[in-house]
Amino acid sequence: MHKILIADDHPLFREAICNVVAAGFPGSELLETSDLDSALGIAREHDDLDLILLDLNMPGMHGLNGLITLRNESPSIPVVIVSAEEDKQVVLQAITYGAVGFITKSSPRAQMTEAIEQILAGDVYLPSDIIRSSRTITRRTPEEAPLSPELLYALTRKQLLVLERMAKGESNKQIAYHLDIAETTVKAHVSAILRKLNVSNRVQAILSAVDVDFSAYLRR
């Protein structure tokens, strides 16, 4: 059973996301609000919330400033941005500012359920279709990558494959399936990747690797 706050000023969408959560996670306790101030109040009163689904454009948000305020006041509660926005930079900025996921309002019901399930399991969720489609056509060379070639060459081939799929927004479960390895093995690779790249968490690894041309390193 989960306790989830749905913060969105559009009644029809709020009802729709409530239905998605209720169907996908039976027995969950759902709280609703339509502006940032009341969302902050509910978060203060219910510090046992498992998740906040936060609309990017509801009253009081002022874009990602509302996310920053909520994260500062309730840092222990995971926050997911739910928005019609489909710009890659906005998605990545939301993750940078502390969101554990970004769900687009155009997502199919099954994809929303999968995203919430992934986040509740402790993973970060990124809309992989946006991350892939928004990439620049001209790929960066190894020398231009945000991660130094030395750090990337320190990774094994399997770790590079895992990092590549992390950067696409895949969960450990999805990575395990696509690479035909155990999920525990993926977790071990992720830990090694974070250590070798000198980053402290999965989000930092994703942000630093999202524009890396992995083919340049996998050809070796």
Side-chain angles (χ1 to χ4, degrees):
M1 180 176 174
H2 301 287
K3 190 172 185 179
I4 299 174
L5 170 61
I6 298 167
D8 194 294
D9 66 327
H10 196 294
L12 287 178
F13 182 79
R14 200 167 61 244
E15 180 181 355
I17 196 69
C18 281
N19 291 337
V20 169
V21 176
F25 308 91
S28 293
E29 180 181 352
L30 303 180
L31 305 176
E32 299 179 46
T33 188
S34 59
D35 60 74
L36 179 63
D37 285 343
S38 56
L40 291 167
I42 292 172
R44 283 191 291 267
E45 294 173 16
H46 300 269
D47 59 2
D48 58 340
L49 282 168
D50 293 299
L51 193 63
I52 297 176
L53 298 173
L54 187 68
D55 178 29
L56 190 60
N57 296 312
M58 69 179 181
M61 283 293 290
H62 304 296
L64 291 168
N65 288 326
L67 168 63
I68 296 170
T69 301
L70 186 55
R71 293 294 298 138
N72 286 339
E73 292 208 13
S74 301
S76 65
I77 303 174
V79 179
V80 177
I81 293 296
V82 182
S83 175
E85 180 62 63
E86 297 192 4
D87 180 82
K88 173 184 168 182
Q89 293 308 314
V90 175
V91 173
L92 294 180
Q93 280 183 331
I95 301 299
T96 302
Y97 293 155
V100 295
F102 195 107
I103 300 174
T104 58
K105 290 187 175 182
S106 61
S107 301
R109 184 187 187 97
Q111 187 176 330
M112 283 190 177
T113 302
E114 181 183 342
I116 295 170
E117 180 180 17
Q118 184 172 316
I119 292 160
L120 289 172
D123 282 332
V124 173
Y125 177 81
L126 290 171
S128 57
D129 51 341
I130 292 177
I131 297 301
R132 285 196 299 265
S133 65
S134 300
R135 290 187 178 189
T136 55
I137 296 175
T138 303
R139 303 303 297 270
R140 297 180 179 184
T141 65
E143 291 72 22
E144 295 171 327
L147 290 171
S148 71
E150 291 76 18
L151 289 177
L152 288 165
Y153 279 125
L155 301 179
T156 66
R157 180 179 177 82
K158 188 67 75 173
Q159 288 166 356
L160 281 169
L161 291 170
V162 170
L163 179 59
E164 182 179 26
R165 293 199 168 273
M166 286 169 59
K168 293 177 180 178
E170 292 187 8
S171 66
N172 286 351
K173 184 177 181 179
Q174 291 170 317
I175 295 171
Y177 173 79
H178 287 128
L179 298 183
D180 194 25
I181 56 179
E183 193 170 346
T184 52
T185 303
V186 175
K187 291 179 180 178
H189 283 316
V190 171
S191 296
I193 289 167
L194 300 187
R195 184 178 67 254
K196 289 183 178 181
L197 297 185
N198 297 320
V199 295
S200 59
N201 57 57
R202 189 186 187 99
V203 173
Q204 290 178 351
I206 290 171
L207 292 175
S208 62
V210 74
D211 284 324
V212 170
D213 181 3
F214 284 92
S215 64
Y217 298 94
L218 290 168
R219 281 198 299 266
R220 70 186 191 215

